[in-house]
Amino acid sequence: MTTSADKKNNSKHVELGLQETMPDVFKKSHELIFSRQSLTSHEQNIFNLMIAHMKADHWDTSKPGPTYEFPAQTLSEWFDIESNHLSTTLAPVADRLAARTVGFANKDTGEWDYIPILSRIRYKDAKLLITPNHELKEQYIDYSINGYALINRKPLYKLRKTYSKRLYEVLSRFKSSGYKQRPITIMELKGYFGLFDEKGNISNTYKSLESTGVFIKRCIADSFEEISKICKHELLLFPGDKGDLGYSLIKKGRT
């Protein structure tokens, strides 16, 4: 990995060489883990590709943030995509990712904030170039506020389902011995999985997941099932009170 300064836009370029390997483990801040994200499985792969190589010393006080350069040959091997198909395969994914935001909500005050994830993403000279949004610098590299998740890259990339990846990241935040997860409300979980729009309502895109039963089946139960198979050497999942693998539903009245 080498870095160089781009005098034209004053950003630091982090160039990944042909012999570069993907880190086996990488950090992701608590703030990002528990933010509102609506990313497909492939979008998460590219997003985490950038985060896995990100270091605090890549940033400075100027804008924009650092630019990460990934050569086509390396990406082809990492994503198992033929090099001559790489550009056309990644283009629609990058197009969607460029428009994605990450949301931060305060349930006590009702305040929320949605910030674009990236400043720019492009493919040029057989390289994928990704520039994170400078406004998210704190969430990207400051682990002192609420800590971070230590995420194992290989199982994360083996998980195919969108919600399995997000749930795995949440689980990765709490691997400390003796830790017990506090109850999480259904609304919180729907937020983590990016189902809400900027007004806090279920997005039209995810209306099919509005029902609690459907949400639990597709986003939680199915995700735990895939995680139990892919991550069996890392995570040991126990059945809940009613036999549901990895979780229990707490009912209060009709809720």
Side-chain angles (χ1 to χ4, degrees):
M1 179 187 297
T2 60
T3 61
S4 61
D6 185 332
K7 296 181 180 179
K8 184 177 181 180
N9 59 20
N10 200 33
S11 81
K12 178 177 288 188
H13 278 226
V14 182
E15 303 173 20
L16 284 301
L18 293 177
Q19 303 303 316
E20 195 78 26
T21 58
M22 276 279 280
D24 288 332
V25 179
F26 66 94
K27 293 180 180 180
K28 198 171 207 179
S29 74
H30 181 99
E31 298 297 306
L32 280 181
I33 293 291
F34 292 100
S35 62
R36 295 182 174 183
Q37 298 178 33
S38 180
L39 305 180
T40 67
S41 179
H42 294 309
E43 290 165 21
Q44 289 183 65
N45 286 343
I46 293 180
F47 182 47
N48 285 321
L49 173 72
M50 176 187 68
I51 291 180
H53 291 87
M54 188 178 290
K55 297 180 180 179
D57 60 9
H58 295 164
W59 294 76
D60 55 31
T61 57
S62 61
K63 295 183 180 181
T67 294
Y68 295 87
E69 296 185 0
F70 301 93
Q73 182 177 328
T74 301
L75 292 173
S76 179
E77 295 173 0
W78 287 349
F79 290 148
D80 193 23
I81 301 173
E82 292 184 18
S83 56
N84 58 328
H85 295 155
L86 192 66
S87 176
T88 54
T89 302
L90 294 182
V93 181
D95 182 37
R96 296 191 303 268
L97 185 58
R100 299 299 192 192
T101 61
V102 57
F104 304 95
N106 187 320
K107 63 180 180 180
D108 297 323
T109 64
E111 297 176 341
W112 46 260
D113 189 11
Y114 285 84
I115 307 172
I117 290 177
L118 303 178
S119 290
R120 187 173 187 178
I121 182 169
R122 58 177 172 159
Y123 189 82
K124 181 181 180 181
D125 297 330
K127 292 180 180 180
L128 178 68
L129 298 94
I130 312 175
T131 305
N133 187 352
H134 192 275
E135 291 189 41
L136 286 169
K137 176 183 177 180
E138 181 179 286
Q139 286 79 10
Y140 275 131
I141 61 173
D142 190 349
Y143 308 123
S144 63
I145 301 176
N146 291 306
Y148 59 88
L150 199 60
I151 300 174
N152 288 326
R153 186 259 309 172
K154 289 182 180 179
L156 178 65
Y157 273 74
K158 286 181 180 178
L159 292 168
R160 298 297 183 184
K161 296 180 180 178
T162 297
Y163 304 119
S164 297
K165 289 180 181 289
R166 283 294 284 143
L167 183 58
Y168 176 78
E169 290 186 349
V170 172
L171 295 175
S172 295
R173 178 66 183 91
F174 304 113
K175 293 179 181 176
S176 300
S177 177
Y179 179 84
K180 186 174 182 180
Q181 172 62 47
R182 68 168 177 80
I184 303 178
T185 69
I186 300 298
M187 292 298 285
E188 281 182 283
L189 284 171
K190 287 182 175 179
Y192 300 156
F193 288 127
L195 307 188
F196 296 132
D197 59 22
E198 290 83 351
K199 296 180 180 180
N201 302 316
I202 292 288
S203 169
N204 290 331
T205 306
Y206 302 108
K207 280 293 184 181
S208 62
L209 297 175
E210 189 167 18
S211 163
T212 296
V214 174
F215 170 76
I216 291 296
K217 172 64 173 65
R218 291 176 55 187
C219 297
I220 306 301
D222 288 355
S223 294
F224 268 124
E225 182 178 349
E226 185 182 21
I227 289 172
S228 70
K229 296 175 182 177
I230 300 296
C231 310
K232 59 185 178 181
H233 298 301
E234 177 188 4
L235 297 172
L236 180 61
L237 300 177
F238 296 95
D241 298 337
K242 295 184 179 180
D244 299 310
L245 184 63
Y247 71 96
S248 292
L249 289 176
I250 303 172
K251 193 170 184 180
K252 294 183 179 179
R254 294 183 177 183
T255 305

XYZ file of all heavy atoms in Angstrom, residues 88-172:
703
model
N -18.177 -3.296 -16.378
C -19.620 -3.356 -16.602
C -20.358 -3.982 -15.417
O -21.507 -3.641 -15.157
C -19.932 -4.164 -17.872
O -19.297 -5.456 -17.777
C -19.430 -3.450 -19.108
N -19.679 -4.883 -14.690
C -20.310 -5.516 -13.531
C -20.416 -4.557 -12.355
O -21.441 -4.508 -11.662
C -19.517 -6.769 -13.097
O -19.438 -7.688 -14.180
C -20.184 -7.456 -11.908
N -19.360 -3.771 -12.139
C -19.338 -2.866 -10.992
C -20.094 -1.564 -11.241
O -20.531 -0.911 -10.291
C -17.895 -2.535 -10.608
C -17.034 -3.681 -10.063
C -15.656 -3.153 -9.682
C -17.698 -4.337 -8.859
N -20.270 -1.180 -12.502
C -20.871 0.123 -12.821
C -22.244 0.334 -12.182
O -22.476 1.354 -11.523
C -20.941 0.313 -14.333
N -23.216 -0.593 -12.338
C -24.528 -0.354 -11.727
C -24.490 -0.359 -10.206
O -25.256 0.364 -9.556
C -25.384 -1.509 -12.270
C -24.409 -2.570 -12.669
C -23.195 -1.834 -13.139
N -23.595 -1.162 -9.634
C -23.454 -1.196 -8.175
C -22.896 0.138 -7.684
O -23.388 0.727 -6.718
C -22.528 -2.351 -7.736
C -22.424 -2.388 -6.212
C -23.036 -3.680 -8.264
N -21.878 0.637 -8.363
C -21.272 1.912 -7.996
C -22.254 3.065 -8.173
O -22.276 4.000 -7.367
C -20.023 2.150 -8.846
N -23.071 2.995 -9.205
C -24.065 4.032 -9.471
C -25.039 4.150 -8.302
O -25.365 5.249 -7.842
C -24.811 3.708 -10.769
C -25.827 4.775 -11.127
O -25.559 5.963 -10.893
O -26.907 4.420 -11.637
N -25.481 3.011 -7.796
C -26.401 3.014 -6.652
C -25.698 3.457 -5.374
O -26.242 4.242 -4.590
C -27.017 1.626 -6.454
C -27.906 1.154 -7.602
C -28.693 -0.096 -7.215
N -27.832 -1.196 -6.785
C -27.367 -2.135 -7.599
N -27.659 -2.087 -8.897
N -26.609 -3.118 -7.133
N -24.481 2.961 -5.186
C -23.739 3.287 -3.970
C -23.440 4.778 -3.886
O -23.434 5.360 -2.797
C -22.430 2.483 -3.932
C -21.577 2.604 -2.663
C -22.378 2.182 -1.429
C -20.322 1.752 -2.787
N -23.197 5.408 -5.029
C -22.899 6.842 -5.055
C -24.063 7.675 -4.529
O -23.866 8.799 -4.043
C -22.547 7.279 -6.478
N -25.276 7.119 -4.606
C -26.457 7.858 -4.160
C -26.908 7.472 -2.753
O -27.858 8.046 -2.222
C -27.609 7.618 -5.142
N -26.248 6.526 -2.144
C -26.660 6.042 -0.823
C -26.264 7.014 0.282
O -25.276 7.740 0.181
C -26.037 4.684 -0.527
C -26.422 3.567 -1.481
C -27.897 3.293 -1.483
N -28.193 2.045 -2.184
C -29.406 1.658 -2.548
N -30.451 2.415 -2.276
N -29.571 0.495 -3.166
N -27.054 6.989 1.357
C -26.754 7.798 2.535
C -26.638 6.885 3.751
O -27.050 5.720 3.714
C -27.864 8.829 2.811
O -29.102 8.133 3.058
C -28.036 9.776 1.638
N -26.069 7.423 4.807
C -26.080 6.753 6.095
C -26.846 7.671 7.038
O -26.640 8.884 7.035
C -24.641 6.471 6.599
C -23.835 7.740 6.689
C -24.663 5.754 7.933
N -27.775 7.096 7.801
C -28.645 7.906 8.648
C -28.364 7.716 10.122
O -28.073 6.609 10.582
N -28.458 8.815 10.875
C -28.276 8.774 12.323
C -29.532 9.374 12.952
O -29.909 10.501 12.642
C -27.039 9.565 12.736
C -25.783 9.088 12.047
C -25.333 9.716 10.889
C -25.079 8.001 12.527
C -24.187 9.275 10.241
C -23.936 7.553 11.882
C -23.492 8.177 10.739
N -30.175 8.601 13.818
C -31.444 9.040 14.396
C -31.380 9.027 15.916
O -30.746 8.155 16.516
C -32.579 8.139 13.912
N -32.028 10.000 16.537
C -32.146 10.076 17.988
C -33.608 9.837 18.340
O -34.456 10.704 18.119
C -31.675 11.446 18.488
C -31.614 11.522 20.004
O -32.480 11.003 20.711
N -30.583 12.183 20.515
N -33.891 8.657 18.874
C -35.283 8.297 19.137
C -35.894 9.138 20.256
O -37.124 9.281 20.330
C -35.393 6.816 19.491
C -34.678 6.402 20.762
C -34.845 4.917 21.028
C -34.117 4.513 22.317
N -34.276 3.058 22.586
N -35.047 9.704 21.132
C -35.561 10.511 22.245
C -36.005 11.892 21.788
O -37.003 12.433 22.272
C -34.497 10.647 23.337
C -34.128 9.303 23.957
O -35.044 8.465 24.120
O -32.941 9.085 24.248
N -35.254 12.488 20.859
C -35.573 13.845 20.404
C -36.314 13.859 19.067
O -36.883 14.880 18.686
C -34.289 14.674 20.244
O -33.469 14.092 19.209
C -33.499 14.697 21.549
N -36.280 12.726 18.363
C -36.911 12.675 17.046
C -36.052 13.282 15.954
O -36.481 13.399 14.806
N -34.813 13.659 16.303
C -33.912 14.256 15.316
C -33.237 13.170 14.484
O -33.002 12.056 14.958
C -32.855 15.100 16.022
C -33.419 16.279 16.781
C -32.350 17.042 17.557
O -31.274 16.468 17.805
O -32.603 18.203 17.898
N -32.948 13.492 13.229
C -32.238 12.556 12.360
C -31.367 13.319 11.390
O -31.558 14.506 11.158
C -33.218 11.649 11.594
C -34.387 12.371 10.977
C -35.656 12.453 11.467
C -34.396 13.122 9.749
N -36.443 13.211 10.635
C -35.707 13.626 9.571
C -33.427 13.409 8.788
C -36.064 14.392 8.474
C -33.782 14.175 7.694
C -35.092 14.659 7.547
N -30.391 12.613 10.846
C -29.443 13.232 9.934
C -29.007 12.193 8.905
O -28.512 11.125 9.271
C -28.223 13.736 10.720
C -27.272 14.584 9.874
O -27.656 14.945 8.748
O -26.159 14.877 10.353
N -29.209 12.489 7.625
C -28.814 11.578 6.557
C -27.671 12.209 5.768
O -27.788 13.339 5.291
C -29.992 11.279 5.622
C -30.994 10.318 6.230
C -31.996 10.767 7.078
C -30.918 8.952 5.967
C -32.901 9.890 7.654
C -31.831 8.063 6.530
C -32.815 8.537 7.372
O -33.698 7.661 7.936
N -26.564 11.486 5.646
C -25.348 12.013 5.029
C -24.902 11.081 3.914
O -24.851 9.865 4.108
C -24.218 12.136 6.076
C -24.690 12.940 7.290
C -22.980 12.774 5.458
C -23.698 12.930 8.446
N -24.575 11.605 2.730
C -24.065 10.748 1.649
C -22.821 9.985 2.098
O -21.940 10.542 2.750
C -23.723 11.746 0.534
C -24.607 12.923 0.801
C -24.705 13.019 2.305
N -22.756 8.711 1.759
C -21.643 7.871 2.177
C -20.339 8.260 1.477
O -19.287 8.337 2.093
C -21.962 6.387 1.907
C -23.052 5.911 2.864
C -20.724 5.517 2.052
C -23.493 4.484 2.619
N -20.427 8.496 0.171
C -19.231 8.753 -0.621
C -19.252 10.142 -1.243
O -20.317 10.723 -1.466
C -19.106 7.725 -1.750
C -19.072 6.243 -1.359
C -18.998 5.379 -2.610
C -17.918 5.945 -0.417
N -18.070 10.674 -1.517
C -17.948 11.892 -2.306
C -17.907 11.555 -3.789
O -18.437 12.280 -4.623
C -16.674 12.659 -1.928
O -16.784 13.222 -0.651
N -17.248 10.405 -4.077
C -17.112 10.038 -5.489
C -16.687 8.579 -5.603
O -15.960 8.067 -4.757
C -16.063 10.929 -6.158
C -15.956 10.763 -7.670
C -15.009 11.805 -8.240
N -15.003 11.789 -9.695
C -14.292 12.620 -10.451
N -13.541 13.540 -9.880
N -14.320 12.550 -11.776
N -17.135 7.935 -6.680
C -16.660 6.600 -7.019
C -16.587 6.511 -8.536
O -17.516 6.896 -9.240
C -17.577 5.496 -6.429
C -17.027 4.110 -6.770
C -19.016 5.649 -6.870
C -17.702 2.983 -6.006
N -15.449 6.045 -9.034
C -15.287 5.981 -10.490
C -14.332 4.856 -10.874
O -13.576 4.340 -10.036
C -14.770 7.305 -11.041
C -13.444 7.760 -10.451
C -12.940 9.031 -11.085
N -11.771 9.573 -10.399
C -10.909 10.409 -10.948
N -11.089 10.807 -12.195
N -9.876 10.862 -10.271
N -14.358 4.519 -12.147
C -13.473 3.486 -12.698
C -12.698 4.123 -13.839
O -13.276 4.611 -14.800
C -14.289 2.294 -13.203
C -13.458 1.094 -13.599
C -12.997 0.200 -12.640
C -13.128 0.858 -14.933
C -12.236 -0.905 -12.996
C -12.364 -0.234 -15.292
C -11.925 -1.110 -14.321
O -11.162 -2.200 -14.675
N -11.360 4.152 -13.707
C -10.531 4.826 -14.692
C -9.159 4.157 -14.740
O -8.604 3.799 -13.699
C -10.377 6.310 -14.326
C -9.554 7.122 -15.308
C -9.440 8.571 -14.846
C -8.614 9.405 -15.821
N -8.459 10.798 -15.382
N -8.637 4.005 -15.949
C -7.309 3.416 -16.137
C -7.195 2.066 -15.433
O -6.190 1.763 -14.785
C -6.214 4.353 -15.623
C -6.163 5.674 -16.386
O -6.523 5.671 -17.580
O -5.794 6.695 -15.782
N -8.248 1.264 -15.554
C -8.282 -0.081 -14.956
C -8.120 -0.036 -13.439
O -7.500 -0.906 -12.831
C -7.239 -0.984 -15.588
N -8.681 1.010 -12.819
C -8.647 1.131 -11.367
C -10.008 1.617 -10.872
O -10.661 2.432 -11.518
C -7.572 2.131 -10.924
C -6.140 1.697 -11.171
C -5.184 2.764 -10.680
C -3.730 2.366 -10.917
N -2.784 3.412 -10.443
N -10.394 1.098 -9.720
C -11.579 1.587 -9.039
C -11.128 2.602 -8.003
O -10.274 2.302 -7.162
C -12.323 0.438 -8.339
C -13.583 0.830 -7.539
C -14.685 1.304 -8.486
C -14.067 -0.340 -6.696
N -11.663 3.824 -8.086
C -11.283 4.900 -7.177
C -12.482 5.286 -6.322
O -13.552 5.606 -6.848
C -10.774 6.122 -7.945
C -9.510 5.908 -8.783
C -9.879 5.558 -10.228
C -8.644 7.160 -8.773
N -12.319 5.237 -5.004
C -13.403 5.541 -4.077
C -12.955 6.629 -3.113
O -11.917 6.504 -2.457
C -13.816 4.295 -3.264
C -14.025 3.075 -4.158
C -15.078 4.591 -2.456
C -14.318 1.798 -3.392
N -13.745 7.693 -3.027
C -13.468 8.785 -2.089
C -14.614 8.882 -1.087
O -15.740 9.186 -1.458
C -13.328 10.134 -2.819
O -12.337 10.034 -3.842
C -12.948 11.239 -1.842
N -14.359 8.606 0.191
C -15.409 8.715 1.207
C -15.791 10.167 1.463
O -15.005 11.079 1.188
C -14.765 8.086 2.449
C -13.299 8.299 2.241
C -13.071 8.195 0.766
N -16.994 10.365 1.970
C -17.460 11.708 2.281
C -16.731 12.237 3.515
O -16.761 11.628 4.580
C -18.970 11.687 2.538
C -19.547 13.088 2.706
O -18.829 14.081 2.786
N -20.865 13.173 2.758
N -16.105 13.390 3.376
C -15.332 13.996 4.459
C -16.203 14.300 5.675
O -15.720 14.313 6.809
C -14.647 15.276 3.966
C -13.620 15.822 4.902
N -13.937 16.647 5.956
C -12.275 15.635 4.966
C -12.844 16.964 6.603
N -11.816 16.371 6.034
N -17.501 14.533 5.458
C -18.392 14.843 6.577
C -18.595 13.652 7.507
O -19.092 13.805 8.624
C -19.745 15.328 6.047
C -19.691 16.688 5.379
C -21.078 17.222 5.065
O -21.987 17.068 5.906
O -21.254 17.772 3.973
N -18.207 12.467 7.056
C -18.329 11.267 7.886
C -16.992 10.842 8.484
O -16.860 9.720 8.973
C -18.908 10.110 7.060
C -20.398 10.188 6.739
C -20.766 9.142 5.703
C -21.226 9.998 8.002
N -16.028 11.732 8.443
C -14.688 11.395 8.941
C -14.747 10.834 10.359
O -14.118 9.805 10.667
C -13.795 12.636 8.912
C -12.410 12.417 9.509
C -11.600 13.710 9.503
C -10.245 13.506 10.168
N -9.435 14.759 10.178
N -15.485 11.478 11.238
C -15.569 11.034 12.633
C -16.135 9.629 12.726
O -15.621 8.785 13.460
C -16.443 12.011 13.431
C -16.578 11.667 14.900
C -17.420 12.682 15.646
O -16.915 13.800 15.892
O -18.583 12.372 15.969
N -17.200 9.366 11.959
C -17.818 8.039 12.007
C -16.928 6.973 11.372
O -16.983 5.803 11.757
C -19.180 8.067 11.293
C -20.278 8.770 12.052
C -20.202 10.292 11.948
O -19.428 10.826 11.149
N -21.001 10.986 12.740
N -16.111 7.367 10.417
C -15.237 6.410 9.751
C -14.052 5.985 10.623
O -13.681 4.815 10.632
C -14.695 7.000 8.442
C -15.608 6.828 7.247
C -15.915 7.912 6.421
C -16.152 5.592 6.932
C -16.745 7.759 5.312
C -16.976 5.428 5.831
C -17.270 6.516 5.029
O -18.091 6.356 3.941
N -13.437 6.926 11.348
C -12.155 6.595 11.983
C -12.066 6.886 13.478
O -11.065 6.532 14.104
C -11.002 7.348 11.285
C -11.205 8.870 11.398
C -10.872 6.916 9.835
C -10.021 9.665 10.879
N -13.082 7.511 14.075
C -13.008 7.810 15.509
C -13.678 6.686 16.299
O -14.901 6.580 16.338
C -13.686 9.153 15.811
C -13.413 9.618 17.242
O -12.888 8.808 18.035
O -13.715 10.772 17.559
N -12.860 5.843 16.928
C -13.388 4.703 17.680
C -13.490 5.005 19.170
O -13.882 4.147 19.954
C -12.483 3.480 17.485
C -12.198 3.157 16.037
C -10.882 3.096 15.570
C -13.229 2.924 15.138
C -10.612 2.798 14.248
C -12.971 2.629 13.815
C -11.663 2.567 13.375
O -11.395 2.282 12.067
N -13.119 6.224 19.572
C -13.055 6.555 20.995
C -14.418 6.916 21.575
O -14.595 6.899 22.796
C -12.091 7.725 21.209
O -12.552 8.894 20.539
N -15.404 7.229 20.714
C -16.700 7.689 21.214
C -17.494 6.529 21.824
O -17.816 6.505 22.993
C -17.522 8.356 20.092
C -16.755 9.552 19.522
C -18.874 8.814 20.627
C -17.447 10.212 18.347
N -17.808 5.539 21.011
C -18.595 4.403 21.488
C -17.965 3.055 21.158
O -18.611 2.022 21.262
C -20.010 4.453 20.891
C -20.832 5.596 21.445
O -20.979 5.734 22.649
N -21.361 6.436 20.568
N -16.699 3.077 20.729
C -16.046 1.814 20.412
C -16.263 1.384 18.972
O -16.698 2.166 18.124
N -15.969 0.119 18.706
C -16.030 -0.372 17.336
C -16.285 -1.874 17.317
O -16.166 -2.567 18.337
C -14.710 -0.082 16.615
C -13.499 -0.709 17.267
C -13.098 -2.008 16.944
C -12.753 -0.008 18.234
C -11.999 -2.591 17.568
C -11.659 -0.583 18.842
C -11.278 -1.872 18.505
O -10.198 -2.448 19.118
N -16.633 -2.370 16.145
C -16.753 -3.808 15.920
C -15.491 -4.284 15.231
O -14.960 -3.599 14.360
C -17.967 -4.114 15.050
N -14.993 -5.438 15.633
C -13.863 -6.075 14.969
C -14.451 -7.166 14.083
O -14.938 -8.188 14.572
C -12.893 -6.649 15.998
C -11.469 -6.950 15.523
C -10.809 -5.681 15.012
C -10.658 -7.559 16.648
N -14.425 -6.922 12.777
C -15.160 -7.766 11.842
C -14.213 -8.676 11.064
O -13.217 -8.213 10.508
C -15.967 -6.891 10.859
C -16.970 -6.034 11.643
C -16.683 -7.752 9.836
C -17.718 -5.036 10.791
N -14.535 -9.945 11.031
C -13.775 -10.905 10.238
C -14.245 -10.815 8.795
O -15.416 -11.047 8.489
C -13.955 -12.325 10.767
C -13.230 -12.529 12.090
O -12.168 -11.959 12.321
N -13.806 -13.318 12.971
N -13.313 -10.498 7.925
C -13.666 -10.225 6.532
C -14.172 -11.448 5.765
O -15.155 -11.366 5.027
C -12.456 -9.615 5.826
C -12.699 -9.141 4.403
C -12.196 -10.128 3.370
N -10.824 -10.512 3.616
C -10.209 -11.476 2.952
N -10.858 -12.156 2.031
N -8.953 -11.796 3.227
N -13.539 -12.603 5.931
C -13.889 -13.767 5.120
C -15.350 -14.218 5.302
O -16.062 -14.391 4.317
C -12.920 -14.921 5.400
C -11.522 -14.674 4.846
C -10.600 -15.866 5.093
C -9.213 -15.598 4.519
N -8.281 -16.730 4.758
N -15.818 -14.431 6.533
C -17.227 -14.816 6.669
C -18.189 -13.728 6.205
O -19.243 -14.032 5.646
C -17.385 -15.109 8.164
C -16.221 -14.451 8.826
C -15.117 -14.477 7.828
N -17.810 -12.457 6.423
C -18.676 -11.360 5.983
C -18.891 -11.417 4.475
O -20.008 -11.252 3.988
C -18.069 -10.014 6.382
C -18.855 -8.772 5.937
C -20.210 -8.712 6.634
C -18.058 -7.501 6.216
N -17.807 -11.662 3.724
C -17.915 -11.694 2.264
C -18.560 -12.983 1.760
O -19.110 -13.013 0.661
C -16.536 -11.490 1.630
C -16.201 -10.027 1.442
C -15.857 -9.221 2.522
C -16.262 -9.425 0.195
C -15.574 -7.883 2.364
C -15.979 -8.088 0.018
C -15.631 -7.316 1.111
O -15.360 -5.970 0.947
N -18.510 -14.035 2.569
C -19.161 -15.286 2.159
C -20.675 -15.214 2.322
O -21.404 -15.907 1.615
C -18.609 -16.457 2.978
C -17.204 -16.886 2.592
C -16.746 -18.072 3.425
C -15.336 -18.513 3.031
N -14.868 -19.645 3.876
N -21.127 -14.384 3.257
C -22.572 -14.211 3.437
C -23.153 -13.547 2.200
O -22.665 -12.509 1.758
C -22.853 -13.359 4.679
C -22.501 -13.993 6.026
C -22.556 -12.956 7.144
C -23.429 -15.162 6.336
N -24.207 -14.131 1.650
C -24.772 -13.635 0.400
C -25.946 -12.682 0.599
O -26.190 -11.796 -0.210
C -25.239 -14.825 -0.465
C -24.103 -15.766 -0.875
C -23.103 -15.051 -1.749
N -22.035 -15.932 -2.210
C -20.993 -15.521 -2.929
N -20.889 -14.246 -3.249
N -20.058 -16.377 -3.311
N -26.685 -12.879 1.672
C -27.907 -12.102 1.853
C -27.611 -10.735 2.454
O -26.771 -10.602 3.357
C -28.883 -12.871 2.738
C -29.362 -14.189 2.128
C -30.321 -14.914 3.047
C -30.791 -16.224 2.416
N -31.697 -16.968 3.309
N -28.307 -9.746 1.967
C -28.117 -8.367 2.415
C -28.258 -8.231 3.926
O -27.403 -7.637 4.599
C -29.138 -7.443 1.725
O -28.900 -7.449 0.316
C -29.027 -6.018 2.251
N -29.325 -8.781 4.489
C -29.600 -8.602 5.913
C -28.706 -9.477 6.776
O -28.453 -9.149 7.936
C -31.081 -8.861 6.192
C -31.978 -7.976 5.358
C -32.891 -8.516 4.450
C -31.888 -6.589 5.450
C -33.686 -7.691 3.657
C -32.678 -5.762 4.661
C -33.577 -6.322 3.768
O -34.357 -5.510 2.985
N -28.210 -10.578 6.228
C -27.261 -11.414 6.962
C -25.979 -10.634 7.241
O -25.405 -10.709 8.333
C -26.924 -12.677 6.164
O -28.050 -13.485 5.978
N -25.518 -9.889 6.240
C -24.304 -9.097 6.411
C -24.484 -8.036 7.495
O -23.604 -7.837 8.341
C -23.924 -8.418 5.092
C -23.396 -9.369 4.019
C -23.058 -8.589 2.752
C -22.550 -9.491 1.657
N -21.195 -10.008 1.955
N -25.617 -7.352 7.488
C -25.862 -6.304 8.475
C -25.990 -6.905 9.880
O -25.450 -6.362 10.854
C -27.138 -5.519 8.129
C -26.971 -4.530 7.029
C -26.037 -3.391 7.409
N -26.663 -2.423 8.297
C -26.050 -1.806 9.284
N -24.795 -2.071 9.557
N -26.675 -0.920 10.031
N -26.695 -8.037 9.997
C -26.855 -8.669 11.296
C -25.508 -9.176 11.807
O -25.202 -9.074 13.001
C -27.856 -9.825 11.212
C -28.180 -10.529 12.530
C -28.741 -9.550 13.550
C -29.175 -11.671 12.302
N -24.686 -9.701 10.911
C -23.359 -10.178 11.300
C -22.516 -9.030 11.859
O -21.783 -9.206 12.831
C -22.655 -10.812 10.101
C -21.237 -11.256 10.395
C -20.974 -12.424 11.096
C -20.150 -10.476 9.983
C -19.673 -12.811 11.387
C -18.845 -10.862 10.262
C -18.613 -12.034 10.965
O -17.330 -12.407 11.257
N -22.619 -7.857 11.267
C -21.875 -6.702 11.769
C -22.342 -6.325 13.174
O -21.530 -5.987 14.038
C -22.040 -5.518 10.824
C -21.322 -5.687 9.490
C -21.385 -4.440 8.642
O -22.156 -3.513 8.980
O -20.658 -4.373 7.634
N -23.652 -6.358 13.404
C -24.187 -6.064 14.738
C -23.650 -7.073 15.751
O -23.218 -6.715 16.851
C -25.725 -6.066 14.728
C -26.279 -5.963 16.146
C -26.261 -4.911 13.884
N -23.664 -8.355 15.388
C -23.161 -9.393 16.283
C -21.667 -9.211 16.552
O -21.185 -9.498 17.650
C -23.406 -10.775 15.676
C -24.863 -11.206 15.498
C -24.933 -12.540 14.767
C -25.570 -11.308 16.841
N -20.938 -8.724 15.555
C -19.493 -8.537 15.697
C -19.155 -7.426 16.688
O -18.024 -7.346 17.181
C -18.865 -8.206 14.340
O -18.989 -9.296 13.443
